[in-house]
Amino acid sequence: MDFELPAELVGYLAELDAFIDREITPLEQADDNIRFFDHRREDARTDWERGGLPNAEWEQLLAEVRRRADAAGHLRYAFPARYGGRDGTNLGMAVIREHLARRGLGLHCDLQNEHAIVANNVGLLLMLEYGTPEQRAEWVDGLASGTKFFAFGITEPEHGSDATHMETLAVRDGDDWVITGRKTWNTGVHIADADLIFARTSGGPGDAAGITAFLVPTDAPGFVVEEYLWTFNMPTDHARVALNGVRVPDAAVFGGEGRGLAVVQHFFNENRIRQAASSLGAAQYCIDQSVAYAKERKPFGKALATNQAIQFPLVELHTQCEMLRALIHKTAWSMDTYGTFAVSEQVSMCNYWANRLCCEAADRAMQVHGGLGYSRHKPFEHIYRHHRRYRITEGAEEIQMRRVAGYLFGFMGSKAPKGV
């Protein structure tokens, strides 16, 4: 077995670092843009008068970063070469996402809004996999450049983890579909051109079949954003929406009638392994910063680093990072080798553990840094508040553990291919 990363991937990390140092860091330091990363960050980023939405200047700055990254050939790394990408792999994306997060918060990577100079644009990958030729013609270029976007309408106010019990219904009416229901936690819908709404078109509650995905324009009559839900970490772009008899043509069906659950699972697997890598990078950042601080800080005349009470908790976290890194790399490689659905069990393992580990590392970093760590002059409290979200929103860790148990105890489908 060869655990060495491909030489071209290692070289690409150096290329990314050079780009960040040359173009992104100077932009971060210009025109007081650093205000978005200091102790004032929530006020700087948040438009309290517009329901707590991200500040327009903040989003414009992120758009400029994406433009620069695209011009430099980085934004589309994961996409096929024919769409301006580099045919990036799942392993490559996992390594890159960890690398960027390990550098800490900045314009190169701000996980609060899934922003990075290498885009985690799962929407485009889904479009290439499930979109009709007409849908691809309309969406691919905009998705690839970051100028078009669709949100995901999966969760409902009364149904979160039990997605197959959704109450949103779509009924045929001639050549159209009429959709009625409500969705919540529709992230990014304020800038979305469409919302990918999942609705039951046949079958009954709990049935996996009979759920259909629809690309619903956000300006369609009857599509109403009711509220943006304020969260532990602001700003918010998480909307609750109502669909009051929204009419869409049959051409809005995405991925085939009654087969929407496959789209959901594909999205989850692709997104979860990348999110796990980002959480791992953020956790390692917290550890790295804590080690450095413990060497410098000298209460009672000696460095904190000489105390086992400081050493041992960081050793345990660092050890967990090393073990998790190996599992993430193996799982991402397996997805590239055997397919996205071949290692759903391992994806769940990576994701729930990485998100939990990041919270533990951020909490420990706050403790090591003392009052300074608790303050908003250091990023650890922000990292904790943000990554605490992923222990719920990427599929609650209990649900992911249940998924692993399903494979472990034989309640779910066949195991991954031998050797995976």
Side-chain angles (χ1 to χ4, degrees):
M1 298 177 69
D2 185 359
F3 291 97
E4 290 291 333
L5 293 176
E8 63 273 16
L9 181 55
V10 175
Y12 185 57
L13 297 181
E15 185 181 338
L16 284 173
D17 285 339
F19 170 71
I20 293 168
D21 293 341
R22 184 177 64 253
E23 291 202 39
I24 304 305
T25 301
L27 178 63
E28 185 177 307
Q29 299 293 330
D31 301 323
D32 195 33
N33 288 333
I34 198 66
R35 71 188 185 277
F36 295 116
F37 298 97
D38 69 11
H39 62 283
R40 298 170 293 168
R41 84 171 59 83
E42 285 186 347
D43 277 336
R45 294 182 179 195
T46 306
D47 189 339
W48 303 104
E49 302 305 317
R50 288 198 309 140
L53 282 169
N55 184 290
E57 291 182 350
W58 169 230
E59 294 200 311
Q60 289 165 8
L61 182 61
L62 297 180
E64 172 60 17
V65 173
R66 290 193 296 271
R67 187 196 66 77
R68 294 188 184 196
D70 201 20
H74 299 305
L75 189 72
R76 310 186 192 197
Y77 167 87
F79 309 151
R82 68 182 183 277
Y83 298 111
R86 301 195 183 203
D87 295 317
T89 63
N90 283 295
L91 175 61
M93 280 297 290
V95 171
I96 290 166
R97 300 262 301 168
E98 180 195 347
H99 180 78
L100 294 178
R102 188 171 181 175
R103 287 182 60 114
L105 298 177
L107 281 178
H108 68 284
C109 179
D110 190 81
L111 301 178
Q112 186 183 42
N113 41 32
E114 291 294 330
H115 163 82
I117 57 172
V118 176
N120 183 36
N121 193 338
V122 177
L124 175 59
L125 299 180
L126 293 179
M127 183 60 67
L128 297 178
E129 180 74 22
Y130 298 102
T132 65
E134 294 77 17
Q135 289 169 343
R136 291 198 295 270
E138 178 185 355
W139 281 91
V140 164
D141 288 343
L143 287 171
S145 64
T147 57
K148 282 178 73 74
F149 170 74
F150 60 81
F152 285 81
I154 302 170
T155 305
E156 298 185 352
E158 302 301 324
H159 300 281
S161 299
D162 56 341
T164 58
H165 288 75
M166 65 179 58
E167 297 177 18
T168 300
L169 301 177
V171 179
R172 276 193 180 275
D173 184 19
D175 294 331
D176 295 340
W177 292 87
V178 178
I179 307 174
T180 301
R182 299 170 77 214
K183 298 290 181 178
T184 193
W185 303 113
N186 288 35
T187 301
V189 77
H190 71 296
I191 58 171
D193 300 275
D195 202 1
L196 190 62
I197 295 293
F198 293 80
R200 183 160 293 284
T201 53
S202 64
D207 291 344
I211 295 173
T212 302
F214 297 88
L215 279 167
V216 178
T218 53
D219 60 356
F223 185 94
V224 179
V225 175
E226 294 183 326
E227 181 184 13
Y228 286 97
L229 299 159
W230 288 29
T231 62
F232 196 22
N233 211 27
M234 293 292 281
T236 178
D237 59 352
H238 313 298
R240 185 176 66 243
V241 304
L243 297 104
N244 303 317
V246 174
R247 181 177 293 270
V248 295
D250 193 57
V253 172
F254 185 78
E257 182 179 341
R259 290 180 284 181
L261 213 59
V263 178
V264 173
Q265 192 57 55
H266 193 134
F267 166 75
F268 282 161
N269 277 14
E270 292 275 1
N271 204 51
R272 283 173 178 169
I273 192 64
R274 299 176 187 192
Q275 182 54 51
S278 291
S279 290
L280 169 61
Q284 191 70 66
Y285 170 82
C286 292
I287 297 166
D288 295 344
Q289 293 293 306
S290 297
V291 169
Y293 183 77
K295 292 178 179 179
E296 298 170 359
R297 182 72 167 175
K298 297 181 179 179
F300 307 106
K302 66 175 185 177
L304 279 174
T306 63
N307 299 315
Q308 290 181 340
I310 298 296
Q311 296 170 359
F312 285 8
L314 292 173
V315 166
E316 289 190 356
L317 291 168
H318 184 60
T319 301
Q320 291 181 53
C321 282
E322 285 291 341
M323 292 189 292
L324 178 62
R325 185 173 294 111
L327 181 59
I328 287 175
H329 288 184
K330 178 184 177 183
T331 302
W333 173 86
S334 297
M335 291 172 70
D336 292 328
T337 304
Y338 300 107
T340 301
F341 296 103
V343 286
S344 294
E345 175 185 7
Q346 287 84 355
V347 169
S348 288
M349 290 177 182
C350 290
N351 193 262
Y352 93 78
W353 194 258
N355 295 330
R356 183 187 295 180
L357 179 60
C358 185
C359 290
E360 292 178 357
D363 183 77
R364 178 52 52 181
M366 283 189 274
Q367 192 70 22
V368 171
H369 284 77
L372 186 63
Y374 181 69
S375 79
R376 295 192 177 190
H377 293 268
K378 288 291 183 179
F380 309 121
E381 56 81 29
H382 173 75
I383 290 172
Y384 178 86
R385 286 186 292 118
H386 171 61
H387 283 268
R388 185 62 181 85
R389 155 193 174 186
Y390 288 118
R391 294 176 62 186
I392 300 170
T393 62
E394 281 303 303
E397 59 185 40
E398 294 85 358
I399 294 298
Q400 298 205 55
M401 292 172 74
R402 189 180 75 166
R403 184 175 185 80
V404 175
Y407 285 103
L408 183 63
F409 291 96
F411 298 122
M412 298 188 72
S414 61
K415 300 280 286 183
K418 188 176 181 179
V420 177

